[in-house]
Amino acid sequence: MKVAIVHEWLDSFAGSERVVEQFLAEWPEADLFVLCDFMPEAERGFLGGRPVRTSFIQRLPFARKHFRKYLGLMPLAVEQFDLSGYDLVLSSSHAVAKGAITGPGQVHVSYVHSPMRYAWDLQHQYLREAGLDRGLKGLYTRRLLHRMRMWDRASAAAPDVVLANSTYIAERIRKAWRRESIVVHPPVDVERFALRAEKEDFYLTASRMVPYKRIELIAEAFRRMPGRRLVVVGDGTNEARVREAAGGAPNIEFRGRVSTAELVRLTQAARAAVFAAEEDFGIATVEAQACGTPVIAFGKGGARDIIVAPPAGQPTGLFFAEQSAGAIIAAVERFETLAFVPQDCRTNAGRFSREAFRAAMRRIAREALEGLQG
């Protein structure tokens, strides 16, 4: 059996690349196709030295730094890949990879991280944040996104099987594409995060400081709870706003970007991890659970697939209902009245292991191929 893997682009090892890594581990003889490959040498280990086949976007002017600006050409680029010689095509898609063309006698299974949010429900937010909500550039961008939406929905019919990385993304797929999907949670290296039952008296939030993460709400909440300590890990474009929300409170400690070993240590030691974003899934949430650490999270998005909340008999965290400092304060106060067992958190994390992901992918690919043969 010949297998092809199609992915949008390689420029850093992040969540979607972890999926590609497990595809390659399960199907080591597969050929890998990407629109462009600018992955730093230090992060290429998961590729195992295998060749990467790229599209014409790889050779366009200034593509190394500005390949995302060629969004309008990406549908054409992915459609140019000749996949006719493959029995099974696996796509890892957050933009256009699902539009790869296959024919009769082939099976295409598309793992969808999200429909293009900037083309659908987050279009207006994207335009505002990019300063493209007015003027000629804004008009051009709106026209481009309109065309991308039409192509996105049409190409959603291409895969034989659509997989969603969470129930939340399955709902977005149903809304945008009018397609049903199967939920397969993304792979998390839970073995890298060992259980620690003894906790210290601090709360942790760790992520990139970008607007949608809403870390400023967590900082404001703990500024208003001077008796509780918060450790903030990460940096990013929204750091100034987060520090302003913290107001120099002595109970809030900014660590900046830390090593992987230090992040693991902090996650293991924290009384609880706190997240305020509406995430597609939330790998950091699973990593905290793997450490035996409960999670306090905004109750929308992928977190609802991960956290087991009261009144469940073995809770691993709890939710707050709105993105506000007041809601976070109320959740922390409630958290401290409840009992959480670190081993329950660790057991819960096992549902999202790399082995569980690969087993699900094997089963789905086998069933799709058997269905074609039948």
Side-chain angles (χ1 to χ4, degrees):
M1 183 176 67
K2 293 193 66 178
V3 180
I5 298 169
V6 182
H7 185 55
E8 267 96 15
W9 52 74
L10 295 173
D11 72 324
S12 65
F13 186 70
S16 59
E17 285 71 35
R18 299 186 192 200
V19 167
V20 173
E21 177 186 40
Q22 294 308 307
F23 283 174
L24 292 171
E26 186 62 34
W27 291 278
E29 301 304 317
D31 293 327
L32 178 59
F33 295 79
V34 301
L35 301 183
C36 53
D37 176 14
F38 300 114
M39 180 73 76
E41 195 61 38
E43 298 182 44
R44 301 184 69 85
F46 77 102
L47 296 173
R50 59 173 45 81
V52 179
R53 306 180 188 205
T54 58
S55 76
F56 65 82
I57 290 179
Q58 179 82 18
R59 300 179 294 279
L60 292 178
F62 312 110
R64 177 173 291 275
K65 290 187 177 181
H66 302 292
F67 63 85
R68 290 177 179 84
K69 293 184 178 179
Y70 291 115
L71 176 65
L73 294 176
M74 289 182 182
L76 175 63
V78 79
E79 291 172 353
Q80 301 310 301
F81 289 139
D82 182 3
L83 305 174
S84 57
Y86 296 92
D87 305 293
L88 174 64
V89 175
L90 302 162
S91 60
S92 163
S93 184
H94 53 75
V96 302
K98 73 177 188 315
I101 295 175
T102 56
Q106 296 177 282
V107 167
H108 179 185
V109 177
S110 185
Y111 189 87
V112 178
H113 307 278
S114 176
M116 289 185 284
R117 304 189 73 169
Y118 42 85
W120 290 99
D121 50 315
L122 291 187
Q123 174 188 285
H124 301 294
Q125 178 182 329
Y126 164 78
L127 291 171
R128 283 195 304 272
E129 292 178 356
L132 295 170
D133 52 342
R134 64 193 65 188
L136 290 177
K137 285 187 178 180
L139 183 63
Y140 167 78
T141 305
R142 288 175 190 274
R143 171 62 177 166
L144 171 62
L145 294 179
H146 172 69
R147 288 170 44 221
M148 292 299 295
R149 276 192 298 277
M150 291 191 294
W151 180 88
D152 196 45
R153 177 170 286 184
S155 64
D160 300 286
V161 181
V162 174
L163 308 179
N165 74 354
S166 68
T167 304
Y168 175 64
I169 292 303
E171 293 169 354
R172 295 191 66 247
I173 288 171
R174 188 179 302 114
K175 180 70 174 179
W177 299 344
R178 303 301 189 213
R179 277 206 69 167
E180 296 301 315
S181 57
I182 302 168
V183 175
V184 176
H185 296 118
V188 182
D189 185 5
V190 296
E191 297 306 317
R192 188 161 59 100
F193 292 81
L195 170 68
R196 174 177 162 177
E198 304 79 19
K199 301 299 179 183
E200 299 176 19
D201 192 17
F202 71 90
Y203 293 84
L204 174 71
T205 187
S207 75
R208 291 177 296 117
M209 291 191 189
V210 292
Y212 89 92
K213 295 288 188 179
R214 307 308 304 273
I215 304 173
E216 73 279 0
L217 298 178
I218 302 172
E220 179 187 347
F222 279 84
R223 176 174 57 79
R224 292 163 55 182
M225 296 187 289
R228 296 178 174 94
R229 181 180 166 215
L230 174 69
V231 174
V232 181
V233 171
D235 57 14
T237 57
N238 214 40
E239 183 172 352
R241 186 177 180 188
V242 175
R243 288 183 177 273
E244 181 182 1
N251 62 311
I252 301 176
E253 180 182 354
F254 287 86
R255 292 287 186 91
R257 187 178 298 183
V258 301
S259 67
T260 299
E262 178 64 5
L263 176 60
V264 171
R265 189 195 71 77
L266 288 168
T267 307
Q268 291 170 326
R271 185 173 184 178
V274 186
F275 300 102
E278 184 175 342
E279 298 277 11
D280 294 339
F281 178 66
I283 287 175
T285 302
V286 178
E287 292 171 343
Q289 299 271 272
C291 293
T293 301
V295 175
I296 302 169
F298 179 49
K300 288 186 178 181
R304 298 203 67 88
D305 284 12
I306 301 169
I307 299 167
V308 181
Q314 296 176 311
T316 67
L318 52 81
F319 300 112
F320 50 93
E322 64 179 34
Q323 289 175 306
S324 70
I328 295 171
I329 292 170
V332 171
E333 290 174 345
R334 184 183 178 213
F335 171 83
E336 293 181 355
T337 68
L338 302 172
F340 295 88
V341 179
Q343 183 59 57
D344 290 344
C345 298
R346 174 69 185 186
T347 301
N348 181 47
R351 297 187 292 129
F352 309 100
S353 70
R354 294 182 295 182
E355 291 73 19
F357 173 82
R358 288 169 59 182
M361 291 303 307
R362 279 196 303 272
R363 174 181 56 80
I364 290 166
R366 182 181 67 250
E367 290 175 354
L369 288 163
E370 289 173 350
L372 176 67
Q373 293 166 358

